[in-house]
Amino acid sequence: LFKGKDVVVVGGGNSAVEEGIFLTKFARSVTLVHRRSMLRATKIVQEEFLRQKNARVMYHKVVTRITGSQRVEGVVLKDTLTGAEQSVPCEGVFIFLGQAPRTQLISGIVDLDPAGFIRTDEKMATSCPGIFAAGDVREKPLRQIVTAAADGAVAAYCAEQYLREIKGDIYK
């Protein structure tokens, strides 16, 4: 969808910058928009992004509006220091503003990592027998629709196997 197009990535952490690196492989240009003076991504990830000829960073900027009627045509950026606004033409916007899992309901029942993501094994089983987790609430290195869907398939299959082990034929 974005081959040869200008795109904007919003964020400054590892997820945003890694997505920016990925997009530089086929987009004409990738503009990373960050509200602070420094990115939060690890130095090695930042350096990799900045090595790309079609990559740039705009610091002290926030997106106030995405423009276009039938499709994305640009973004309006506000400077966090001066308040000045500017338009940046683009054909795609990718927002990576942090990930906070909503796991409060299960906190204290299953093991969570320090950031609040659910720890699972390869079968999507948690530390509490019979509870399985899938998708972006899991502790994992990549959060994309395809990985969430795969997690869901594995969790459903393994939950069924678990129920068969403790209950026998669950379809009677």
Side-chain angles (χ1 to χ4, degrees), residues 2 12 15 20 23 41 45 52 70 77 84 93-95 128 137 142 149 155 159:
F2 298 98
S15 295
L23 290 166
V45 172
Q52 308 308 311
Q70 298 296 316
L77 303 179
V93 180
F94 298 82
I95 300 172
C128 183
V137 296
L142 182 62

Side-chain angles (χ1 to χ4, degrees), residues 106 110 124-133 155 158-159 162-163 166:
I106 203 146
V110 300
M124 304 303 133
T126 67
S127 58
C128 183
I131 297 179
F132 296 79
C158 292
Y162 174 82
L163 290 172
I166 63 167

Side-chain angles (χ1 to χ4, degrees), residues 40-157:
R40 292 185 328 266
T42 59
K43 187 170 178 64
I44 193 165
V45 172
Q46 290 181 46
E47 290 170 350
E48 174 68 19
F49 178 76
L50 294 172
R51 270 196 298 275
Q52 308 308 311
K53 290 182 174 97
N54 58 341
R56 72 175 174 157
V57 181
M58 295 183 76
Y59 295 103
H60 296 289
K61 305 282 189 272
V62 293
V63 174
T64 59
R65 213 165 48 251
I66 298 173
T67 60
S69 56
Q70 298 296 316
R71 59 181 176 79
V72 173
E73 294 176 9
V75 293
V76 176
L77 303 179
K78 180 178 180 180
D79 188 293
T80 60
L81 300 175
T82 67
E85 289 193 338
Q86 71 181 96
S87 293
V88 175
C90 67
E91 297 168 90
V93 180
F94 298 82
I95 300 172
F96 287 84
L97 294 177
Q99 300 169 337
R102 293 185 177 181
T103 54
Q104 301 85 349
L105 180 66
I106 203 146
S107 179
I109 299 171
V110 300
D111 289 343
L112 305 177
D113 74 1
F117 292 95
I118 300 170
R119 291 192 164 133
T120 66
D121 62 16
E122 70 280 355
K123 294 180 178 180
M124 304 303 133
T126 67
S127 58
C128 183
I131 297 179
F132 296 79
D136 290 353
V137 296
R138 280 188 58 235
E139 174 186 51
K140 61 184 187 172
L142 182 62
R143 298 184 200 295
Q144 292 185 341
I145 292 170
V146 69
T147 62
D151 289 353
V154 171
Y157 176 80

Side-chain angles (χ1 to χ4, degrees), residues 9 14-24 30 94 96 144:
V9 177
N14 281 336
S15 295
V17 180
E18 287 170 355
E19 182 69 11
I21 292 167
F22 173 71
L23 290 166
T24 62
V30 178
F94 298 82
F96 287 84
Q144 292 185 341

